[in-house]
Amino acid sequence: MLLATALIATSHPVVALVAGRLDSAALTAVRFFLATACFLPVVAICYGRAALPTPGSTLRHAVLSAPLVAFFVAMFEALRTASPVSTAALSVLVPSFAALFSIPLLGERLSARRASLLLVGTAGSTWVVFRGDLDRALALELHRGEALFLAGTASLGLYAVLVRRLGRGRPPAVTTFWTLASGCVWLLLWLARAPEEAPSSSG
């Protein structure tokens, strides 16, 4: 857990260094393709034909990968303008969003203890993002990058809940592999349409 926390914490300043130089979707696509390539031999050796998708599982993986792709694209795009400190603080809200989504999607109830812990985390994150400015916090004055990453954080919270709902019945490694592969397809579709929109956006 300490190693995972350290990797996540250091990823924000690292991404901030490259976000302004590379296209967000293209950089995310490279990450997804590399991760998919790493998982492929593991899944092929350990599960063989049992890892092949069915029409139903293909649709589930496509749905599952959409919020994950949205999070990474939002992170790279947000760090063009937002500070790494703000985005790192907003990432603390992932469990809060996951808890909110789990109520309608999983039928879970939020215990008082869990709700209080999430409230403390949310308050701490809000204090950092708004730099202790209570008036700004009450007015919800977020910069564009911070607002974009907040949407990405909500997407990651949704992904965490969808994994539990849509990933049942299959080994985690197989679900992860096909989710990443589906994410590659989403990103290719996005990159294919991006050049067509460039002239209209510049005009």
Side-chain angles (χ1 to χ4, degrees):
M1 289 301 295
L2 289 174
L3 177 60
T5 303
L7 289 172
I8 293 171
T10 54
S11 68
H12 290 268
V14 171
V15 171
L17 292 174
V18 299
R21 299 176 176 86
L22 298 171
D23 179 77
S24 303
L27 192 55
T28 303
V30 171
R31 288 166 59 98
F32 269 70
F33 274 105
L34 288 175
T36 303
C38 290
F39 264 91
L40 177 59
V42 175
V43 171
I45 293 172
C46 295
Y47 300 99
R49 291 174 178 256
L52 293 176
T54 63
S57 66
T58 300
L59 179 59
R60 290 196 299 272
H61 292 134
V63 173
L64 189 57
S65 63
L68 187 62
V69 168
F71 166 74
F72 281 107
V73 172
M75 179 176 71
F76 284 113
E77 190 64 29
L79 282 167
R80 293 177 185 272
T81 55
S83 73
V85 175
S86 295
T87 56
L90 285 171
S91 65
V92 176
L93 298 177
V94 172
S96 298
F97 282 117
L100 292 175
F101 286 125
S102 67
I103 295 173
L105 294 177
L106 300 178
E108 291 189 352
R109 293 184 177 180
L110 209 58
S111 65
R113 180 176 179 275
R114 188 180 176 193
S116 61
L117 290 174
L118 292 174
L119 185 61
V120 170
T122 301
S125 174
T126 303
W127 184 262
V128 173
V129 171
F130 292 109
R131 299 172 180 83
D133 189 335
L134 184 59
D135 293 333
R136 184 170 169 237
L138 292 174
L140 294 178
E141 293 180 4
L142 287 173
H143 298 304
R144 179 184 178 277
E146 294 168 344
L148 185 59
F149 189 74
L150 181 62
T153 302
S155 296
L156 190 59
L158 176 61
Y159 168 77
V161 175
L162 289 178
V163 166
R164 297 174 58 188
R165 184 177 177 87
L166 302 179
R168 294 171 181 170
R170 304 208 83 187
V174 174
T175 298
T176 300
F177 170 75
W178 287 113
T179 299
L180 291 170
S182 299
C184 292
V185 175
W186 284 123
L187 287 162
L188 284 175
L189 292 173
W190 177 264
L191 289 171
R193 66 190 287 273
E196 300 177 2
E197 295 183 348
S200 60
S201 60
S202 61

